[in-house]
Amino acid sequence: MSTEVNTLAGATGAPTAADSIRRTQPDERRGRSALLTVPIVLVGTLAISLNLAAPAHAADVKKPLNPRFAEATAHDTGLRSATAHVAAAATEAVPAQYSVADGDTVSGIAARFGLTTSAVLSLNGLDSAALIFPGQVLNLTAPSAPSAPATASSPAAAHTVQSGDTIGGIAAANGLSTDAVLSANGLERSSVIYPGQSIVLPVAETAQIVPAAFITPMVVESAPAASEYTIASGDTISAVAATAGVTVQDVLDANGLGWSSMIYPGQVLTIPSPAALAAAERADAVTPLTSEMRQNASTIVAVGRSIGVSDYGLVIALAAAAQESGLKNVDYGDRDSLGLFQQRPSFGWGTPEQVMDPTRATLAFFGGSSNPNTGVTRGLLEIPGWESMTVTDAAQAVQISAFPNHYAKWEISARSWLGQLG
């Protein structure tokens, strides 16, 4: 399954490419960015492989044999470890921030200061699959939210929806909670917004103020579109891409390279900026449906409606299939991943022929009473509370990808496609 881990792009003091290479070993990341494992030859030196690299202290992120037990992995293990240490005694005062050292883990940091792993993850906007790096600064205490005086007569402000906007993004940019903005507009988390729509921003005294430290920074016009990196002996494109917080395909595209291209020491590569890539995605938010994509999207919608899946569930499925396969029923993928949702026969999703059947693959994605893999794989309808999750979190709960945040970029397109297909 394909996706990426955003913490690489936002890590403070991220290691250099050379450092990452010395500290890392191949991981099990799956996704379209590692769709093929094709060597890139280092001219006159050695063959460079595109196998993705991850920090040595980061746990491999794999789809469990039975996803019903996925919740008993890194997060819960960290909680149990942290709880044991806290019970013993927390010997150090909790600082406001902590700089990650080599060998640190989130659960270890939490235990050291008498915190829970889930609290540290939440304070830093991380999930249990996120990577941390030496030099990265983690928040260990929540900053006090500044008071925002406002009179009862203060008029409510309004925001005109632009292409690429989300309620969560609008709320964060204005220091409000998503729930406050939804409530002020009579919307639900599954509601669709559209360009030109006017969104009411509630006055300060009726809204929960979001501390500035937790507001996702907006992309500014002055953000550099790209930087340059000079290849050193032993470098791989996958390691360079991981250090920069972008995908291998992003680096290949920025330099006009293919999966069989050669790199060599002294070669200068253009490294696209994550901010510029995100801006480009928002600028062209809705991907047009080709005839092949439309046929597969129609199948997903028809199958979902036949078993009573809500529009929001259909959006999640469309976004997941778009990220995994580009809404194409491909007969290849990472390791033995196949089909619309890149389901893996080796993990119980069915035989190769079964996972290549769009109807059956869609039923397996939704799961529930119609799950063709009952007791082996877990579908969307079997995820507790999926209706209140974000699109990317709900898709990740089913797909269990090494790069959980890429599903979000397909939400706008998925909502548009559903509107077109009816």
Side-chain angles (χ1 to χ4, degrees):
M1 311 273 177
S2 57
T3 43
E4 74 176 8
V5 179
N6 280 348
T7 51
L8 296 178
T12 302
T16 64
D19 288 338
S20 294
I21 295 161
R22 287 192 293 269
R23 275 195 291 268
T24 60
Q25 297 295 330
D27 69 4
E28 296 297 327
R29 294 184 183 171
R30 308 192 313 274
R32 288 190 62 84
S33 60
L35 188 61
L36 300 174
T37 304
V38 180
I40 290 183
V41 179
L42 183 58
V43 176
T45 308
L46 71 167
I48 300 298
S49 171
L50 284 177
N51 288 333
L52 294 177
H57 60 272
D60 289 341
V61 182
K62 300 180 181 178
K63 188 180 295 182
L65 183 58
N66 186 343
R68 291 181 183 278
F69 303 105
E71 295 174 358
T73 55
H75 175 69
D76 290 335
T77 301
L79 274 176
R80 288 193 295 271
S81 175
T83 302
H85 283 79
V86 172
T91 59
E92 298 186 45
V94 181
Q97 294 183 317
Y98 175 80
S99 181
V100 176
D102 188 27
D104 274 345
T105 63
V106 174
S107 59
I109 294 168
R112 175 177 173 180
F113 297 104
L115 305 172
T116 65
T117 301
S118 58
V120 176
L121 291 171
S122 177
L123 283 169
N124 293 277
L126 304 176
D127 60 28
S128 59
L131 305 178
I132 60 173
F133 292 98
Q136 181 178 355
V137 176
L138 297 179
N139 293 310
L140 299 185
T141 61
S144 301
S147 58
T151 64
S153 60
S154 298
H159 172 85
T160 300
V161 175
Q162 306 296 316
S163 178
D165 276 352
T166 64
I167 290 293
I170 294 169
N174 290 277
L176 305 171
S177 71
T178 299
D179 288 338
V181 176
L182 290 172
S183 177
N185 292 272
L187 301 175
E188 298 179 352
R189 287 186 177 270
S190 58
S191 298
V192 176
I193 61 174
Y194 51 86
Q197 181 178 358
S198 181
I199 298 296
V200 174
L201 303 176
V203 293
E205 69 267 23
T206 63
Q208 175 185 349
I209 303 301
V210 180
F214 305 122
I215 297 176
T216 302
M218 303 296 287
V219 177
V220 295
E221 295 297 326
S222 59
S227 58
E228 292 185 341
Y229 177 78
T230 302
I231 296 295
S233 179
D235 274 348
T236 64
I237 288 185
S238 58
V240 172
T243 300
V246 297
T247 68
V248 171
Q249 192 63 57
D250 289 333
V251 176
L252 294 176
D253 291 345
N255 292 275
L257 301 176
W259 288 82
S260 59
S261 298
M262 298 182 294
I263 61 172
Y264 51 86
Q267 181 178 0
V268 178
L269 294 182
T270 297
I271 309 299
S273 121
L277 291 171
E281 289 172 358
R282 285 195 295 271
D284 188 19
V286 178
T287 300
L289 286 171
T290 64
S291 58
E292 180 182 7
M293 293 169 67
R294 181 178 292 274
Q295 178 180 349
N296 290 321
S298 296
T299 297
I300 291 172
V301 172
V303 171
R305 292 203 187 285
S306 73
I307 59 175
V309 177
S310 67
D311 283 359
Y312 188 50
L314 297 177
V315 167
I316 294 168
L318 290 170
Q323 172 58 31
E324 297 295 350
S325 68
L327 273 174
K328 299 176 182 178
N329 196 32
V330 294
D331 59 357
Y332 56 84
D334 177 42
R335 284 154 291 195
D336 62 334
S337 299
L338 297 168
L340 279 176
F341 295 95
Q342 289 288 278
Q343 294 163 344
R344 295 182 63 183
S346 62
F347 280 88
W349 288 91
T351 66
E353 293 75 17
Q354 288 173 332
V355 298
M356 284 295 294
D357 178 349
T359 297
R360 188 187 187 282
T362 302
L363 286 172
F365 177 85
F366 286 126
S369 60
S370 300
N371 191 344
N373 305 316
T374 302
V376 180
T377 62
R378 181 177 67 169
L380 180 67
L381 302 181
E382 298 165 271
I383 306 297
W386 69 267
E387 300 94 333
S388 61
M389 294 180 180
T390 63
V391 167
T392 195
D393 286 345
Q396 167 65 2
V398 178
Q399 300 296 97
I400 315 179
S401 166
F403 298 96
N405 298 305
H406 256 177
Y407 301 106
K409 69 182 180 183
W410 292 102
E411 179 175 355
I412 295 171
S413 290
R415 291 184 183 276
S416 175
W417 296 335
L418 182 59
Q420 296 173 40
L421 298 172

